PDB file of all heavy atoms in Angstrom:
ATOM      1  N   LEU F 380     -37.692 -35.637  77.939  1.00 70.00           N
ATOM      2  CA  LEU F 380     -39.007 -36.239  78.168  1.00 70.00           C
ATOM      3  C   LEU F 380     -39.095 -36.890  79.541  1.00 70.00           C
ATOM      4  O   LEU F 380     -40.139 -36.856  80.188  1.00 70.00           O
ATOM      5  CB  LEU F 380     -39.312 -37.287  77.094  1.00 70.00           C
ATOM      6  CG  LEU F 380     -39.745 -36.783  75.718  1.00 70.00           C
ATOM      7  CD1 LEU F 380     -40.069 -37.959  74.816  1.00 70.00           C
ATOM      8  CD2 LEU F 380     -40.941 -35.858  75.808  1.00 70.00           C
ATOM      9  N   GLN F 381     -37.996 -37.488  79.982  1.00 71.00           N
ATOM     10  CA  GLN F 381     -37.995 -38.153  81.284  1.00 71.00           C
ATOM     11  C   GLN F 381     -38.189 -37.170  82.428  1.00 71.00           C
ATOM     12  O   GLN F 381     -38.756 -37.520  83.468  1.00 71.00           O
ATOM     13  CB  GLN F 381     -36.677 -38.919  81.476  1.00 71.00           C
ATOM     14  CG  GLN F 381     -36.499 -40.074  80.508  1.00 71.00           C
ATOM     15  CD  GLN F 381     -35.115 -40.696  80.604  1.00 71.00           C
ATOM     16  OE1 GLN F 381     -34.287 -40.301  81.425  1.00 71.00           O
ATOM     17  NE2 GLN F 381     -34.847 -41.678  79.742  1.00 71.00           N
ATOM     18  N   HIS F 382     -37.725 -35.920  82.241  1.00 68.00           N
ATOM     19  CA  HIS F 382     -37.795 -34.925  83.307  1.00 68.00           C
ATOM     20  C   HIS F 382     -38.899 -33.898  83.099  1.00 68.00           C
ATOM     21  O   HIS F 382     -38.964 -32.895  83.808  1.00 68.00           O
ATOM     22  CB  HIS F 382     -36.440 -34.210  83.438  1.00 68.00           C
ATOM     23  CG  HIS F 382     -35.332 -35.120  83.889  1.00 68.00           C
ATOM     24  ND1 HIS F 382     -34.507 -35.770  83.007  1.00 68.00           N
ATOM     25  CD2 HIS F 382     -34.938 -35.508  85.127  1.00 68.00           C
ATOM     26  CE1 HIS F 382     -33.637 -36.502  83.670  1.00 68.00           C
ATOM     27  NE2 HIS F 382     -33.878 -36.367  84.953  1.00 68.00           N
ATOM     28  N   ALA F 383     -39.772 -34.131  82.128  1.00 71.00           N
ATOM     29  CA  ALA F 383     -40.885 -33.214  81.869  1.00 71.00           C
ATOM     30  C   ALA F 383     -42.160 -34.037  81.702  1.00 71.00           C
ATOM     31  O   ALA F 383     -42.561 -34.340  80.566  1.00 71.00           O
ATOM     32  CB  ALA F 383     -40.603 -32.365  80.628  1.00 71.00           C
ATOM     33  N   PRO F 384     -42.809 -34.413  82.814  1.00 78.00           N
ATOM     34  CA  PRO F 384     -43.993 -35.286  82.758  1.00 78.00           C
ATOM     35  C   PRO F 384     -45.112 -34.755  81.862  1.00 78.00           C
ATOM     36  O   PRO F 384     -45.741 -35.526  81.120  1.00 78.00           O
ATOM     37  CB  PRO F 384     -44.444 -35.350  84.226  1.00 78.00           C
ATOM     38  CG  PRO F 384     -43.211 -35.057  85.023  1.00 78.00           C
ATOM     39  CD  PRO F 384     -42.440 -34.072  84.197  1.00 78.00           C
ATOM     40  N   ALA F 385     -45.380 -33.457  81.908  1.00 75.00           N
ATOM     41  CA  ALA F 385     -46.457 -32.887  81.099  1.00 75.00           C
ATOM     42  C   ALA F 385     -46.138 -33.013  79.611  1.00 75.00           C
ATOM     43  O   ALA F 385     -47.013 -33.328  78.795  1.00 75.00           O
ATOM     44  CB  ALA F 385     -46.678 -31.423  81.472  1.00 75.00           C
ATOM     45  N   LEU F 386     -44.881 -32.761  79.260  1.00 75.00           N
ATOM     46  CA  LEU F 386     -44.463 -32.876  77.862  1.00 75.00           C
ATOM     47  C   LEU F 386     -44.542 -34.329  77.402  1.00 75.00           C
ATOM     48  O   LEU F 386     -44.998 -34.618  76.291  1.00 75.00           O
ATOM     49  CB  LEU F 386     -43.034 -32.347  77.696  1.00 75.00           C
ATOM     50  CG  LEU F 386     -42.500 -32.258  76.258  1.00 75.00           C
ATOM     51  CD1 LEU F 386     -43.274 -31.226  75.459  1.00 75.00           C
ATOM     52  CD2 LEU F 386     -41.006 -31.925  76.263  1.00 75.00           C
ATOM     53  N   ARG F 387     -44.116 -35.243  78.266  1.00 77.00           N
ATOM     54  CA  ARG F 387     -44.175 -36.663  77.913  1.00 77.00           C
ATOM     55  C   ARG F 387     -45.619 -37.125  77.722  1.00 77.00           C
ATOM     56  O   ARG F 387     -45.905 -37.917  76.822  1.00 77.00           O
ATOM     57  CB  ARG F 387     -43.488 -37.516  78.981  1.00 77.00           C
ATOM     58  CG  ARG F 387     -43.587 -39.008  78.688  1.00 77.00           C
ATOM     59  CD  ARG F 387     -42.695 -39.844  79.576  1.00 77.00           C
ATOM     60  NE  ARG F 387     -42.892 -41.259  79.307  1.00 77.00           N
ATOM     61  CZ  ARG F 387     -42.436 -41.911  78.252  1.00 77.00           C
ATOM     62  NH1 ARG F 387     -41.740 -41.269  77.334  1.00 77.00           N
ATOM     63  NH2 ARG F 387     -42.677 -43.203  78.094  1.00 77.00           N
ATOM     64  N   GLN F 388     -46.536 -36.612  78.555  1.00 78.00           N
ATOM     65  CA  GLN F 388     -47.934 -36.990  78.420  1.00 78.00           C
ATOM     66  C   GLN F 388     -48.492 -36.521  77.079  1.00 78.00           C
ATOM     67  O   GLN F 388     -49.230 -37.245  76.407  1.00 78.00           O
ATOM     68  CB  GLN F 388     -48.758 -36.395  79.570  1.00 78.00           C
ATOM     69  CG  GLN F 388     -50.204 -36.852  79.617  1.00 78.00           C
ATOM     70  CD  GLN F 388     -50.348 -38.352  79.790  1.00 78.00           C
ATOM     71  OE1 GLN F 388     -49.515 -38.996  80.436  1.00 78.00           O
ATOM     72  NE2 GLN F 388     -51.395 -38.928  79.205  1.00 78.00           N
ATOM     73  N   ARG F 389     -48.127 -35.284  76.659  1.00 77.00           N
ATOM     74  CA  ARG F 389     -48.551 -34.788  75.352  1.00 77.00           C
ATOM     75  C   ARG F 389     -47.970 -35.636  74.226  1.00 77.00           C
ATOM     76  O   ARG F 389     -48.623 -35.898  73.230  1.00 77.00           O
ATOM     77  CB  ARG F 389     -48.120 -33.332  75.156  1.00 77.00           C
ATOM     78  CG  ARG F 389     -49.076 -32.337  75.735  1.00 77.00           C
ATOM     79  CD  ARG F 389     -49.086 -30.996  75.003  1.00 77.00           C
ATOM     80  NE  ARG F 389     -47.809 -30.436  74.678  1.00 77.00           N
ATOM     81  CZ  ARG F 389     -47.026 -29.773  75.522  1.00 77.00           C
ATOM     82  NH1 ARG F 389     -47.397 -29.625  76.783  1.00 77.00           N
ATOM     83  NH2 ARG F 389     -45.891 -29.270  75.125  1.00 77.00           N
ATOM     84  N   TYR F 390     -46.728 -36.058  74.421  1.00 75.00           N
ATOM     85  CA  TYR F 390     -46.031 -36.902  73.446  1.00 75.00           C
ATOM     86  C   TYR F 390     -46.781 -38.220  73.247  1.00 75.00           C
ATOM     87  O   TYR F 390     -47.003 -38.656  72.120  1.00 75.00           O
ATOM     88  CB  TYR F 390     -44.610 -37.138  73.968  1.00 75.00           C
ATOM     89  CG  TYR F 390     -43.820 -38.230  73.293  1.00 75.00           C
ATOM     90  CD1 TYR F 390     -43.212 -38.023  72.062  1.00 75.00           C
ATOM     91  CD2 TYR F 390     -43.633 -39.472  73.924  1.00 75.00           C
ATOM     92  CE1 TYR F 390     -42.454 -39.020  71.461  1.00 75.00           C
ATOM     93  CE2 TYR F 390     -42.881 -40.467  73.331  1.00 75.00           C
ATOM     94  CZ  TYR F 390     -42.294 -40.235  72.108  1.00 75.00           C
ATOM     95  OH  TYR F 390     -41.547 -41.227  71.518  1.00 75.00           O
ATOM     96  N   ILE F 391     -47.211 -38.842  74.336  1.00 76.00           N
ATOM     97  CA  ILE F 391     -47.938 -40.110  74.264  1.00 76.00           C
ATOM     98  C   ILE F 391     -49.317 -39.911  73.643  1.00 76.00           C
ATOM     99  O   ILE F 391     -49.732 -40.657  72.754  1.00 76.00           O
ATOM    100  CB  ILE F 391     -48.067 -40.743  75.667  1.00 76.00           C
ATOM    101  CG1 ILE F 391     -46.679 -41.140  76.189  1.00 76.00           C
ATOM    102  CG2 ILE F 391     -49.004 -41.951  75.634  1.00 76.00           C
ATOM    103  CD1 ILE F 391     -46.680 -41.595  77.629  1.00 76.00           C
ATOM    104  N   GLU F 392     -50.026 -38.877  74.100  1.00 72.00           N
ATOM    105  CA  GLU F 392     -51.386 -38.621  73.608  1.00 72.00           C
ATOM    106  C   GLU F 392     -51.408 -38.250  72.125  1.00 72.00           C
ATOM    107  O   GLU F 392     -52.419 -38.441  71.444  1.00 72.00           O
ATOM    108  CB  GLU F 392     -52.036 -37.509  74.433  1.00 72.00           C
ATOM    109  CG  GLU F 392     -52.338 -37.926  75.876  1.00 72.00           C
ATOM    110  CD  GLU F 392     -52.842 -36.774  76.718  1.00 72.00           C
ATOM    111  OE1 GLU F 392     -52.801 -35.616  76.208  1.00 72.00           O
ATOM    112  OE2 GLU F 392     -53.254 -37.010  77.870  1.00 72.00           O
ATOM    113  N   ASN F 393     -50.297 -37.729  71.619  1.00 74.00           N
ATOM    114  CA  ASN F 393     -50.213 -37.303  70.220  1.00 74.00           C
ATOM    115  C   ASN F 393     -49.609 -38.394  69.327  1.00 74.00           C
ATOM    116  O   ASN F 393     -49.027 -38.103  68.281  1.00 74.00           O
ATOM    117  CB  ASN F 393     -49.371 -36.020  70.118  1.00 74.00           C
ATOM    118  CG  ASN F 393     -49.551 -35.305  68.799  1.00 74.00           C
ATOM    119  OD1 ASN F 393     -50.667 -35.189  68.294  1.00 74.00           O
ATOM    120  ND2 ASN F 393     -48.456 -34.829  68.231  1.00 74.00           N
ATOM    121  N   GLY F 394     -49.751 -39.650  69.753  1.00 71.00           N
ATOM    122  CA  GLY F 394     -49.245 -40.747  68.927  1.00 71.00           C
ATOM    123  C   GLY F 394     -47.744 -40.913  69.002  1.00 71.00           C
ATOM    124  O   GLY F 394     -47.098 -41.270  68.020  1.00 71.00           O
ATOM    125  N   PHE F 395     -47.141 -40.639  70.174  1.00 76.00           N
ATOM    126  CA  PHE F 395     -45.710 -40.793  70.411  1.00 76.00           C
ATOM    127  C   PHE F 395     -44.889 -39.889  69.496  1.00 76.00           C
ATOM    128  O   PHE F 395     -43.875 -40.296  68.928  1.00 76.00           O
ATOM    129  CB  PHE F 395     -45.293 -42.263  70.259  1.00 76.00           C
ATOM    130  CG  PHE F 395     -45.947 -43.163  71.269  1.00 76.00           C
ATOM    131  CD1 PHE F 395     -47.191 -43.731  71.010  1.00 76.00           C
ATOM    132  CD2 PHE F 395     -45.353 -43.393  72.496  1.00 76.00           C
ATOM    133  CE1 PHE F 395     -47.818 -44.546  71.945  1.00 76.00           C
ATOM    134  CE2 PHE F 395     -45.969 -44.204  73.444  1.00 76.00           C
ATOM    135  CZ  PHE F 395     -47.192 -44.774  73.168  1.00 76.00           C
ATOM    136  N   LYS F 396     -45.371 -38.649  69.382  1.00 74.00           N
ATOM    137  CA  LYS F 396     -44.622 -37.632  68.649  1.00 74.00           C
ATOM    138  C   LYS F 396     -45.119 -36.263  69.102  1.00 74.00           C
ATOM    139  O   LYS F 396     -46.178 -36.142  69.708  1.00 74.00           O
ATOM    140  CB  LYS F 396     -44.814 -37.784  67.136  1.00 74.00           C
ATOM    141  CG  LYS F 396     -46.247 -37.619  66.663  1.00 74.00           C
ATOM    142  CD  LYS F 396     -46.368 -37.870  65.178  1.00 74.00           C
ATOM    143  CE  LYS F 396     -47.785 -37.649  64.679  1.00 74.00           C
ATOM    144  NZ  LYS F 396     -48.779 -38.540  65.276  1.00 74.00           N
ATOM    145  N   LEU F 397     -44.326 -35.246  68.795  1.00 73.00           N
ATOM    146  CA  LEU F 397     -44.710 -33.866  69.072  1.00 73.00           C
ATOM    147  C   LEU F 397     -44.510 -33.071  67.782  1.00 73.00           C
ATOM    148  O   LEU F 397     -43.584 -33.339  67.017  1.00 73.00           O
ATOM    149  CB  LEU F 397     -43.862 -33.259  70.193  1.00 73.00           C
ATOM    150  CG  LEU F 397     -44.091 -33.817  71.605  1.00 73.00           C
ATOM    151  CD1 LEU F 397     -42.991 -33.342  72.542  1.00 73.00           C
ATOM    152  CD2 LEU F 397     -45.453 -33.402  72.137  1.00 73.00           C
ATOM    153  N   GLY F 398     -45.366 -32.106  67.543  1.00 68.00           N
ATOM    154  CA  GLY F 398     -45.224 -31.267  66.364  1.00 68.00           C
ATOM    155  C   GLY F 398     -43.959 -30.427  66.427  1.00 68.00           C
ATOM    156  O   GLY F 398     -43.470 -30.084  67.514  1.00 68.00           O
ATOM    157  N   ASN F 399     -43.417 -30.101  65.251  1.00 62.00           N
ATOM    158  CA  ASN F 399     -42.190 -29.303  65.202  1.00 62.00           C
ATOM    159  C   ASN F 399     -42.318 -28.002  65.971  1.00 62.00           C
ATOM    160  O   ASN F 399     -41.370 -27.522  66.586  1.00 62.00           O
ATOM    161  CB  ASN F 399     -41.829 -29.002  63.750  1.00 62.00           C
ATOM    162  CG  ASN F 399     -41.334 -30.233  63.015  1.00 62.00           C
ATOM    163  OD1 ASN F 399     -41.050 -31.264  63.619  1.00 62.00           O
ATOM    164  ND2 ASN F 399     -41.246 -30.126  61.703  1.00 62.00           N
TER     165      ASN F 399
END
Side-chain angles (χ1 to χ4, degrees):
L380 283 183
Q381 294 173 2
H382 295 93
L386 186 66
R387 177 169 177 75
Q388 186 61 32
R389 275 209 315 280
Y390 166 79
I391 294 172
E392 291 174 352
N393 196 42
F395 297 88
K396 62 184 182 298
L397 291 168
N399 289 348

